[in-house]
Amino acid sequence: MAEEQDVERNYPATPRRLEQAREHGQVARSRELATATIALAAALSLWGLGPALFSRCLALMRSGLSLDRQAAFDGDRMLTGLHALSADMLVAVLPFLGLVLVATLAAPLLLSGWVFSSRALKVDFARLNPISGLKNVLSTNSLVELGKAVAKCVLLGSIGAFSIMRGWAEMQQLPAQHAGSAIGTIGGLLTGGLFALVGGLVAIALIDVPYQIWRHYSGLKMTRDEIRQEQREMEGDPQLKARIRSQQRATARKRMMAAVPRADVIVTNPTHYAVALEYREGGMRAPRVVAKGMNLIAQKIREIGEANQVPVLEAPPLARALHRHAEIGDEIPRALYTVVAQVLAYVYQVRRFRSVGGPVPTVPSDLDVPAELDLLASAAL
């Protein structure tokens, strides 16, 4: 049952999946929205520019039909006049054509904005497969598109029939009207019918846009395995990251162990903690921690220190405080300056004893570590 759920696309597309789809040119598009936008722009343009355009066309027609006898028999003048009338007609309809062109270019951008993908131009020979083409024809999406086309034809046909029936009485009276009045009546009927059809197209677009958005996001849904694979690609393989962290820790541990021989003293718990300190008078403001660790690492630090004759001091409270409050490479906390100074004084006595002899140094036993820095003392409080 779990395996069946893993292959089902029940999870919404991730932002990365949506971005990749956009890069491939896969965005939500509605042809009905584009058609309604262009039709609305054309209707508004005709409504606003119609009177001026009609007057201009009427003037050009009168000018073109007004010929004197000489012009009627002169072919060159006829061609010149036709050329001039064509240019004037183009100038007259240019605002209308320009507005429609702008609407045509802007309509596809209303839903998903501007998208350019060169991948959409690649040749895909799989689309030439007749079996795949037959499956697409018989697919659910094709049946939905067929139903949309039939519903659109029925709706627009009904609107057209209603517009004709509504203006049928006025159309019957056209033969009895003056030419100018009849033209005005026809223009009003056509304008009303055009806006009615545009209203139908807008209604269709309002239904189609949510469907196309739902269809787009449904087609990009992901399985649980795809989401996991994407997370691995973005964040890296957890096992690989674990191996890298392990190698980084091992490298850091090697560098830490390499610094133990130059330490001045190793403070121990004696078995649970070990902290190696280094201090160079004149080169350091305060002693620094060059190595620290617990249990096996602490034991390794002690072994390396003893092999290199680094003094080892058992001071459990100080070892715990240094291990908790100082990282490798950091200076010791200011509150431990006095205690560590006592330790370093003991270390210098040990060095002097080893080099020139004399009285055996006394191991400091009265190290006063602040209670707030000691783990066990803080827990007891």
Side-chain angles (χ1 to χ4, degrees):
M1 189 68 179
E3 294 181 355
E4 293 179 359
Q5 293 178 352
D6 288 344
V7 298
E8 293 180 356
R9 299 184 180 275
N10 296 327
Y11 299 91
T14 60
R16 185 168 181 264
R17 178 68 172 267
L18 295 175
E19 182 180 354
Q20 289 177 340
R22 190 176 184 86
E23 291 176 355
H24 286 78
Q26 299 177 4
V27 293
R29 294 293 192 196
S30 174
R31 295 180 181 177
E32 310 303 335
L33 177 62
T35 302
T37 303
I38 296 171
L40 180 61
L44 292 175
S45 300
L46 286 176
W47 179 69
L49 302 175
L53 180 60
F54 174 76
S55 300
R56 183 59 180 167
C57 292
L58 184 60
L60 290 176
M61 183 176 294
R62 288 174 177 173
S63 175
L65 296 178
S66 300
L67 299 175
D68 54 16
R69 186 176 183 279
Q70 184 178 0
F73 291 95
D74 189 347
D76 294 335
R77 289 186 59 182
M78 291 287 291
L79 291 176
T80 303
L82 179 60
H83 181 271
L85 290 174
S86 300
D88 292 341
M89 179 62 71
L90 180 61
V91 172
V93 300
L94 195 59
F96 169 75
L97 296 178
L99 292 174
V100 174
L101 178 61
V102 171
T104 303
L105 296 177
L109 310 180
L110 294 177
L111 189 56
S112 300
W114 175 262
V115 177
F116 176 78
S117 175
S118 59
R119 299 180 182 180
L121 302 177
K122 292 183 179 180
V123 179
D124 187 4
F125 292 101
R127 296 182 179 181
L128 302 178
N129 189 344
I131 298 178
S132 300
L134 183 60
K135 290 181 179 179
N136 292 332
V137 171
L138 300 177
S139 64
T140 304
N141 183 52
S142 297
L143 296 177
V144 172
E145 293 297 328
L146 177 61
K148 285 169 50 181
V150 173
K152 184 165 63 173
C153 291
V154 172
L155 177 62
L156 296 181
S158 300
I159 292 174
F162 175 77
S163 299
I164 293 175
M165 293 174 60
R166 184 179 180 182
W168 184 252
E170 296 183 53
M171 287 188 289
Q172 288 181 327
Q173 298 175 3
L174 288 177
Q177 295 181 6
H178 185 268
S181 178
I183 293 176
T185 301
I186 293 175
L189 292 174
L190 292 178
T191 302
L194 178 59
F195 275 101
L197 291 174
V198 170
L201 292 174
V202 171
I204 294 173
L206 293 176
I207 298 174
D208 184 65
V209 168
Y211 167 74
Q212 294 298 337
I213 295 175
W214 171 83
R215 180 169 171 264
H216 172 69
Y217 285 101
S218 297
L220 295 177
K221 281 187 175 181
M222 305 173 67
T223 64
R224 185 182 304 173
D225 292 337
E226 289 175 339
I227 294 177
R228 290 173 178 172
Q229 179 64 27
E230 182 181 290
Q231 291 177 346
R232 284 195 292 266
E233 292 175 355
M234 295 180 63
E235 302 176 1
D237 190 347
Q239 296 181 355
L240 178 60
K241 292 175 66 177
R243 287 197 297 269
I244 293 175
R245 286 195 297 267
S246 177
Q247 293 176 357
Q248 291 174 343
R249 288 194 296 267
T251 302
R253 191 178 300 117
K254 288 181 180 179
R255 288 198 300 265
M256 181 183 70
M257 295 301 179
V260 173
R262 68 171 187 266
D264 292 301
V265 64
I266 297 175
V267 184
T268 65
N269 193 29
T271 57
H272 294 87
Y273 296 95
V275 181
L277 301 177
E278 178 186 15
Y279 179 66
R280 297 292 178 264
E281 188 174 357
M284 295 182 182
R285 185 179 60 179
R288 293 180 180 176
V289 176
V290 296
K292 71 173 186 176
M294 298 174 57
N295 301 326
L296 294 178
I297 298 178
Q299 181 181 353
K300 187 65 176 179
I301 291 174
R302 289 192 58 175
E303 292 175 356
I304 296 176
E306 292 173 353
N308 290 273
Q309 297 184 349
V310 178
V312 178
L313 174 64
E314 294 183 4
L318 180 58
R320 292 191 295 264
L322 288 171
H323 188 276
R324 182 179 185 183
H325 299 285
E327 298 297 330
I328 298 174
D330 293 346
E331 296 179 352
I332 64 173
R334 188 176 297 273
L336 296 176
Y337 278 7
T338 302
V339 181
V340 174
Q342 297 177 21
V343 173
L344 292 177
Y346 165 72
V347 170
Y348 296 151
Q349 293 175 9
V350 171
R351 289 180 180 175
R352 181 178 178 80
F353 173 76
R354 290 177 179 176
S355 60
V356 299
V360 178
T362 303
V363 178
S365 58
D366 56 346
L367 299 176
D368 186 14
V369 178
E372 64 271 13
L373 298 182
D374 185 8
L375 289 172
L376 296 182
S378 300
L381 294 176

